[in-house]
Amino acid sequence: MDAGSYRYSFSSSTEKAQSRCRQPLARVGSTVYIPPLRSSSSNPPSYRQSGDRFIPDRSAMDFDVAHYLLTQPRKEKENTEVVSPAKEAYRKLLAETFLNNRTRILAFNRKPPVPTDSMLAAISEATASNQNKTTKSKRYIPQSAERTLDAPDLVDDFYLNLLDWGSRNVLSIALGNTVYLWNASEGSTSELVTVEDDFGPVTSVNWAPDGQHLAIGLNNSEVQLWDSSSARLLRTLKEIHRSRVGTLAWNNNILTTGGMDGKIVNNDVRIRNHEVNTYRGHQQEVCGLKWSASGKHLASGGNDNLLHIWDFSVATSSSFSSAANQNQWLHRLEGHNAAVKALAWCPFQSNLLASGGGGTDRCIKFWNTLTGACLNSVDTGSQVCALLWNKNERELLSSHGFTQNQLTLWKYPSMVKVAELCGHTSRVLYMAQSPDGCTVATAAGDETLRFWNVFGNPEVDKPAAKTKCTEPFANYSRIR
């Protein structure tokens, strides 16, 4: 029990006698007043001048300690057994800690206990821990791009996917009929392939999980597989679709393709007959494909304003069945009012999917893919072109079209705007994330490729850059 407590250990008769002398709601520990022997003044003097009696101050006494000091000698006499040196040392340490070297039973003055070194250390440690919990490092987000590259001939088409960042830190971008590779570690640029006009332009690019093999979708419905390390064409997948292939997504050795014909095809690139199964649920062009981290579910968005969730296990079991099973989606979600291209699976909640709608919808919606329920919908005010989750924080980054052409960082699940990043002068159609999750690359209709440290480590008390949206960028170079 602490020295400032006011518990009493008396017999019942003593407690009753005290209760008759105490006033209700009186201040506990007030000074006892003793009338003077010779004074006739109406104002009571202080108790130091009130006579020759010394009255103990009960508020300055610890009755538990007093009881311990009165009874301890008797207990020591009764307990005559031999005590080990370790136990005796423990008793002494315990007495020093709790008694704080107090030996007096009655106290006449209120004296604060002298803190020991251990007590000071405990208090300072508790204070430091509380400060660490309450004080969070200030998040600094640069307002301008770290690097800007020129991207001439970038196709300004909402339904295409022309930018991707591989696991080996190499970024691929399609500019017209040519696919370029930019090595982020070295800062070097190389040309992978330029297709003929009859096949181009390039309509989609996507890295395999190994970061070495790249899938390229073409306007003539073909899909090419390239080895980036040797710049060698490995295979061409033909007759998958009847028109351009605008979106690609890898799931281990399965390459999923989405075309303008509304079909979604799973291709096993290891075998000759690569078409494993087909999903038929969209009536118009498929412009968004994303596999979940587990590889069990596929999300697809189309120009028909529809969002589908497909179960890979069901598709595999029905791959040799009739064409009627091709429409067996897990969920058909009709919440958007425009084309659904932006799709992003949540990295910290496996059954959470974020989707973004086009110009007449402008909404970001969150879905429970187990039940198909819409958990939240936020009107962003502009066309949603792409979505990316922060791998280190509960945040979502969205890229937008008209009218501001900005990047918006949202706090999830409150969907409060953390930051808005400007710089592009046209809609930000394509967005990719670096392997470490810190840097985001964006490509826009203004034919520029910009790199943002939006997901980087926070810095404390670093001043924010005073950069306007129209300020030119110093680090500006052509990508070819």
Side-chain angles (χ1 to χ4, degrees):
M1 181 177 181
D2 297 333
S5 303
Y6 301 101
R7 294 177 54 190
Y8 305 105
S9 304
F10 294 109
S11 62
S12 59
S13 60
T14 306
E15 292 176 351
K16 292 180 181 178
Q18 290 179 355
S19 63
R20 289 194 295 269
C21 300
R22 297 165 57 188
Q23 296 295 327
L25 302 179
R27 181 179 178 183
V28 179
S30 59
T31 305
V32 179
Y33 168 64
I34 303 298
L37 297 178
R38 298 180 181 180
S39 175
S40 59
S41 175
S42 59
N43 295 327
S46 62
Y47 95 101
R48 291 186 179 181
Q49 302 173 354
S50 60
D52 57 353
R53 300 178 63 187
F54 292 95
I55 306 298
D57 188 359
R58 290 174 177 171
S59 63
M61 296 171 58
D62 192 331
F63 288 96
D64 287 341
V65 175
H67 181 268
Y68 171 79
L69 292 174
L70 288 172
T71 59
Q72 184 63 19
R74 183 181 62 189
K75 291 182 178 179
E76 290 179 354
K77 291 180 180 179
E78 294 175 356
N79 189 9
T80 58
E81 62 179 359
V82 179
V83 181
S84 64
K87 184 175 292 187
E88 185 64 26
Y90 173 74
R91 285 183 180 180
K92 290 181 180 180
L93 182 61
L94 194 65
E96 291 176 0
T97 302
F98 286 99
L99 294 179
N100 197 18
N101 295 323
R102 291 177 292 180
T103 57
R104 301 186 62 179
I105 298 176
L106 300 179
F108 298 95
N109 292 319
R110 188 190 299 264
K111 294 182 179 180
V114 179
T116 60
D117 295 339
S118 60
M119 185 182 298
L120 289 175
I123 293 174
S124 61
E125 183 179 352
T127 304
S129 62
N130 290 334
Q131 289 179 352
N132 292 335
K133 291 180 181 179
T134 57
T135 306
K136 200 172 183 179
S137 58
K138 185 178 179 181
R139 177 77 177 276
Y140 169 68
I141 301 175
Q143 296 298 303
S144 60
E146 287 190 344
R147 183 192 295 257
T148 301
L149 302 178
D150 191 13
D153 301 327
L154 181 70
V155 179
D156 187 1
D157 193 328
F158 176 80
Y159 304 101
L160 305 184
N161 294 270
L162 305 180
L163 183 69
D164 195 29
W165 206 325
S167 60
R168 296 192 179 186
N169 206 19
V170 177
L171 184 137
S172 62
I173 184 171
L175 302 179
N177 293 351
T178 306
V179 176
Y180 292 93
L181 303 180
W182 185 77
N183 191 315
S185 302
E186 303 173 357
S188 59
T189 304
S190 61
E191 178 182 330
L192 179 64
V193 60
T194 298
V195 300
E196 298 179 1
D197 292 337
D198 295 338
F199 299 99
V202 178
T203 53
S204 56
V205 293
N206 195 247
W207 285 101
D210 59 6
Q212 178 178 348
H213 299 93
L214 181 69
I216 300 174
L218 302 177
N219 192 56
N220 71 335
S221 76
E222 294 183 357
V223 177
Q224 296 182 354
L225 301 181
W226 285 79
D227 186 344
S228 61
S229 60
S230 60
R232 183 167 59 94
L233 177 62
L234 301 177
R235 188 175 185 181
T236 301
L237 308 181
K238 301 180 179 180
E239 298 180 356
I240 307 174
H241 300 276
R242 295 191 302 270
S243 54
R244 69 179 184 181
V245 181
T247 179
L248 302 166
W250 285 91
N251 184 9
N252 294 323
N253 296 311
I254 300 296
L255 174 62
T256 305
T257 61
M260 184 180 280
D261 54 5
K263 286 199 315 179
I264 302 172
V265 181
N266 285 340
N267 302 273
D268 191 337
V269 298
R270 299 169 299 179
I271 59 179
R272 180 181 296 273
N273 299 325
H274 51 81
E275 292 189 38
V276 178
N277 55 297
T278 302
Y279 303 127
R280 295 183 182 271
H282 294 280
Q283 302 301 319
Q284 297 186 36
E285 182 173 11
V286 179
C287 50
L289 288 174
K290 279 292 186 299
W291 281 101
S292 63
S294 63
K296 296 180 180 179
H297 296 100
L298 172 69
S300 66
N303 194 30
D304 51 5
N305 309 343
L306 294 178
L307 172 62
H308 287 91
I309 307 297
W310 308 88
D311 192 330
F312 182 66
S313 60
V314 174
T316 304
S317 62
S318 62
S319 59
F320 299 102
S321 303
S322 61
N325 290 326
Q326 295 176 345
N327 296 338
Q328 297 304 311
W329 53 77
L330 184 62
H331 296 292
R332 183 186 181 98
L333 309 174
E334 302 177 354
H336 287 285
N337 297 318
V340 183
K341 174 192 175 185
L343 299 171
W345 289 91
C346 180
F348 52 83
Q349 190 172 342
S350 59
N351 62 328
L352 178 62
L353 175 71
S355 62
T360 58
D361 181 76
R362 305 183 304 274
C363 290
I364 298 176
K365 296 182 183 294
F366 298 91
W367 307 89
N368 185 335
T369 57
L370 296 180
T371 63
C374 182
L375 304 177
N376 192 13
S377 180
V378 178
D379 190 347
T380 65
S382 58
Q383 181 186 48
V384 183
C385 301
L387 293 172
L388 284 176
W389 285 97
N390 189 344
K391 297 179 181 179
N392 304 314
E393 299 285 342
R394 292 178 177 251
E395 295 173 342
L396 180 70
L397 182 68
S398 57
S399 68
H400 297 272
F402 308 114
T403 57
Q404 297 183 16
N405 308 312
Q406 83 283 11
L407 302 178
T408 304
L409 184 63
W410 309 83
K411 190 69 177 177
Y412 183 83
S414 63
M415 291 306 288
V416 175
K417 289 184 180 180
V418 179
E420 281 194 345
L421 309 177
C422 300
H424 287 289
T425 58
S426 182
R427 54 182 181 174
V428 188
L429 295 172
Y430 317 113
M431 192 161 56
Q433 190 174 12
S434 63
D436 61 2
C438 294
T439 307
V440 173
T442 58
D446 56 6
E447 296 188 348
T448 60
L449 174 64
R450 301 174 190 262
F451 297 86
W452 312 79
N453 190 24
V454 63
F455 291 153
N457 296 326
E459 299 181 26
V460 181
D461 298 332
K462 184 174 181 179
K466 298 180 180 179
T467 306
K468 296 182 180 180
C469 294
T470 57
E471 183 175 344
F473 292 87
N475 187 6
Y476 194 85
S477 58
R478 297 186 67 85
I479 198 169
R480 65 173 183 177

